[in-house]
Amino acid sequence: MHPTTDNRPALLLAMGPGVAGRLLTDAHRTRLAELTRTDPHLVAHDLTAPDPRTAAALAEAELLLTCWGATPLTPEVLARAPRLKAVVHAAGSVKHHVTDACWERGLRVTSAAAANALPVAEYTLAAILFAGKRVLRSAQRYAELRSGHAWLAESAAWGNYRRTVGIVGASRIGRRVVELLRPFDVEVLLYDPYLTVPPPGATLAGLDELCARSSVVSVHAPQLPSTYRMIGARQLAALPDGATLINTARGSLIDEDALLPHLTAGRLHAVLDVTDPELPPPDSPLYTLPNVLLTPHIAGSLGNELHRMTDQALEEIARYTRGEPFAEEVRAADLAHSA
């Protein structure tokens, strides 16, 4: 049974313009109204704005349901939310808006990072398998030739059988990729300086060793000062000729200045869903190199995949209303080693 109306916690949606319309279906809004005292159509885009309706809702809110574009919860914002006890984030990282003031206040925080990890891992699996089969280049060659060709002779070094795949970072996404690779005939090397026991299907290796042995390397580490350009000139030089580098994490993890000569020479291939800067300049060779697949940060949740994150967030709200712990609680200490 649902809690009575008097006992339901007050909730306010706080996220960027247009996000709620993509995140919440009518069924989600109905469920939200069942679980909490909220106007599921009231969305606070800016918690610092002098809007009386938003200010009143924030003053009453026990829960915030946040997503991309949420206002940072500074001491000034929190002072206007005296009853706030928890932040439920219907997306991945909470670093943008959950500040030190939140932890000092003792707020509970949960995130849908686990749900957001799934499409990134699926994108990565597809990129790994396509890299082994040289799908991008063979499609380009086919379009160029438009005639019969000795594909078997050209593809002698292609294929995924007994390839070595290197996974950098045992994050949720990295672990999920390892899991997805288990049915395939590949060797998986995993690098993570904080891991002592690998998940099933992977073997721990140092970063340099992983790069030297892998025909595909996929990056899944968080963006931290210690991971800035962790794939640098030495690691890139160690990659075997014809290897593919995949990045769905953050562009700053790869030294792109060191990577570009390998790509322009055709020695390496790359699948880049993120770059540094996030939008490459118009004259960047990444747009046109035949051995680069450049996508506009689409590996994470989009379209109907957003609803998976909403489902997880609503499950966390339901747990809160039942007095249960969050299933995916985020703690301040977690953020030192995670995205």
Side-chain angles (χ1 to χ4, degrees), residues 108-162:
R108 294 169 59 194
V109 178
T110 181
S111 161
N116 191 49
L118 299 181
V120 183
E122 293 164 357
Y123 175 108
T124 302
L125 175 65
I128 290 170
L129 298 178
F130 269 35
K133 298 285 282 189
R134 288 287 181 263
V135 168
L136 175 63
R137 184 56 186 147
S138 61
Q140 293 168 339
R141 289 275 286 145
Y142 198 23
E144 292 165 0
L145 295 169
R146 305 190 185 196
S147 63
H149 184 66
W151 292 108
L152 285 178
E154 185 168 327
S155 63
W158 301 358
N160 288 305
Y161 181 57
R162 293 187 176 177

Side-chain angles (χ1 to χ4, degrees), residues 63-230:
L63 295 169
L64 286 181
L65 176 58
T66 62
C67 194
W68 299 308
T71 305
L73 301 176
T74 62
E76 293 74 21
V77 171
L78 292 179
R80 301 171 62 191
R83 300 185 180 183
L84 187 63
K85 294 182 179 178
V87 178
V88 178
H89 189 52
S93 176
V94 301
K95 287 184 176 180
H96 168 75
H97 65 298
V98 173
T99 66
D100 289 343
C102 296
W103 307 118
E104 293 165 3
R105 169 91 164 256
L107 297 184
R108 294 169 59 194
V109 178
T110 181
S111 161
N116 191 49
L118 299 181
V120 183
E122 293 164 357
Y123 175 108
T124 302
L125 175 65
I128 290 170
L129 298 178
F130 269 35
K133 298 285 282 189
R134 288 287 181 263
V135 168
L136 175 63
R137 184 56 186 147
S138 61
Q140 293 168 339
R141 289 275 286 145
Y142 198 23
E144 292 165 0
L145 295 169
R146 305 190 185 196
S147 63
H149 184 66
W151 292 108
L152 285 178
E154 185 168 327
S155 63
W158 301 358
N160 288 305
Y161 181 57
R162 293 187 176 177
R163 289 287 190 188
T164 298
V165 178
I167 303 298
V168 178
S171 60
R172 284 185 178 91
I173 299 167
R175 287 174 179 268
R176 180 62 175 164
V177 173
V178 171
E179 182 181 346
L180 291 176
L181 285 170
R182 288 179 66 185
F184 299 93
D185 290 315
V186 296
E187 178 186 13
V188 179
L189 301 180
L190 176 62
Y191 168 74
D192 192 303
Y194 302 102
L195 197 65
T196 56
V197 179
T203 302
L204 292 180
L207 182 57
D208 289 356
E209 177 192 359
L210 179 149
C211 289
R213 292 177 54 191
S214 300
S215 56
V216 181
V217 171
S218 189
V219 181
H220 302 287
Q223 181 174 263
L224 302 168
S226 60
T227 61
Y228 180 73
R229 294 190 172 180
M230 65 184 301

